[in-house]
């Protein structure tokens, strides 16, 4: 019999699975800043993901303190006054199981924060919390080299996932936000981002406010028979 304590990870796989299982999209943060040394560790770990021809197309702009607040104010104003202009096209539509999963996630969030079904004003106000960065003290703006097209963006997806897991390992909460990239021209002007960089998303991060109602639900994952197509 193992001498390990119950629930103690027994292997590298168990540790990884625990991080994946426990990570969730945080929608309520404490104001406390994350030490710069920990942010550096997160980015250094995320850089270890593979990329096509080792191109490593990702770059991140990371804000702290007043810079986060300045960006938050600009972004919220853009959401109220401007039309979305993302660098990458939004999904054309959600259908079938994808629509069902999206709807379930939204209803879980609204139930958690007390938004009644059909209350469009309240759901719209909750949506605008995206542009307040959910109160996070930091945001990372993720960009990719435009000449690398969708494969550069795909490589950055691995970087984003690794960023969230590295943060989770250090007790730091995250939420990747495609919604922020909706206002790419405003971000480009605010941060002086060159035209040859595609603005993909933001990752808001900080320490979780465990008492915030938006952090009290968890999404499910599809059963493996909906994921794996065995060919034997």
């Amino acid at each position: 019999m193992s001498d390990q304590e119950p629930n103690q990870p027994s292997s590298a796989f168990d540790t990884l699975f625990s991080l994946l299982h426990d990570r969730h999209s945080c929608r309520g943060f404490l104001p406390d800043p994350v030490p710069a040394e920990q942010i550096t560790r997160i980015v250094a770990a995320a850089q270890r993901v593979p990329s096509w021809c080792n191109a490593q197309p990702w770059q991140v702009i990371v804000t702290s303190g007043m810079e986060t607040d300045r960006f938050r104010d600009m972004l919220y104003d853009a959401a109220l006054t401007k039309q979305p202009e993302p660098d990458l096209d939004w999904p054309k539509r959600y259908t079938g199981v994808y629509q069902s999963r999206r709807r379930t996630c939204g209803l879980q969030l609204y139930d958690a924060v007390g938004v009644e079904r059909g209350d469009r004003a309240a759901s719209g106000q909750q949506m605008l919390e995206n542009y307040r960065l959910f109160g996070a003290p930091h945001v990372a703006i993720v960009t990719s080299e435009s000449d690398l097209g969708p494969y550069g963006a795909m490589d950055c997806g691995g970087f984003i996932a690794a960023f969230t897991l590295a943060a989770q390992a250090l007790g730091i909460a995250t939420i990747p936000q495609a919604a922020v990239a909706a206002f790419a021209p405003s971000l480009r002007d605010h941060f002086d981002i060159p035209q040859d960089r595609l603005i993909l998303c933001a990752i808001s991060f900080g320490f979780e406010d465990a008492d915030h109602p938006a952090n009290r639900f968890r999404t499910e994952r599809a059963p493996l028979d909906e994921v794996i197509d065995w060919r034997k």
Side-chain angles (χ1 to χ4, degrees), residues 7-212:
N7 299 322
Q8 180 177 341
S10 59
S11 68
F13 177 86
D14 292 332
T15 301
L16 175 60
F17 188 86
S18 178
L19 290 170
L20 286 161
H21 182 272
D22 293 343
R23 189 218 65 82
H24 69 98
S25 291
C26 180
R27 293 179 175 87
F29 292 87
L30 298 173
D32 312 67
V34 176
E37 178 269 339
Q38 291 197 354
I39 299 174
T40 300
R41 290 180 70 192
I42 290 168
V43 176
Q47 284 199 105
R48 302 308 302 175
V49 297
S51 59
W52 193 354
C53 298
N54 198 35
Q56 304 175 62
W58 45 79
Q59 291 180 5
V60 289
I61 297 167
V62 179
T63 69
S64 300
M66 292 300 295
E67 284 301 310
T68 303
D69 291 334
R70 282 203 323 117
F71 174 60
R72 193 190 333 266
D73 291 344
M74 182 282 297
L75 182 65
Y76 193 81
D77 181 69
L80 293 177
T81 62
K82 298 181 179 180
Q83 293 299 311
E85 294 183 68
D87 282 350
L88 296 182
D89 290 339
W90 280 166
K92 293 179 180 178
R93 65 188 64 85
Y94 288 86
T95 60
V97 66
Y98 311 111
Q99 182 185 39
S100 175
R101 292 169 185 165
R102 182 174 186 259
R103 183 174 184 272
T104 297
C105 178
L107 290 176
Q108 285 182 286
L109 171 59
Y110 295 151
D111 286 346
V113 298
V115 173
E116 297 290 338
R117 297 190 185 189
D119 188 341
R120 293 188 178 276
S123 61
Q125 195 60 46
Q126 176 60 41
M127 180 274 294
L128 286 172
E129 288 301 306
N130 276 283
Y131 308 111
R132 297 187 196 274
L133 310 175
F134 299 105
H138 306 278
V139 66
I141 307 299
V142 183
T143 69
S144 178
E145 168 60 47
S146 60
D147 284 347
L148 298 180
Y151 284 94
M154 182 176 72
D155 286 341
C156 289
F159 175 86
I160 293 162
F163 186 108
T164 67
L165 293 178
Q168 179 72 23
L170 293 176
I172 298 164
T174 59
I175 180 168
Q177 294 179 261
V180 173
F183 301 99
S186 296
L187 271 67
R188 186 164 275 109
D189 290 344
H190 184 86
F191 290 116
D192 195 22
I193 299 171
Q195 291 293 330
D196 62 357
R197 302 297 302 178
L198 293 175
I199 299 172
L200 302 181
C201 75
I203 308 171
S204 294
F205 66 98
F207 297 106
E208 179 182 3
D209 180 355
D211 294 327
H212 196 290

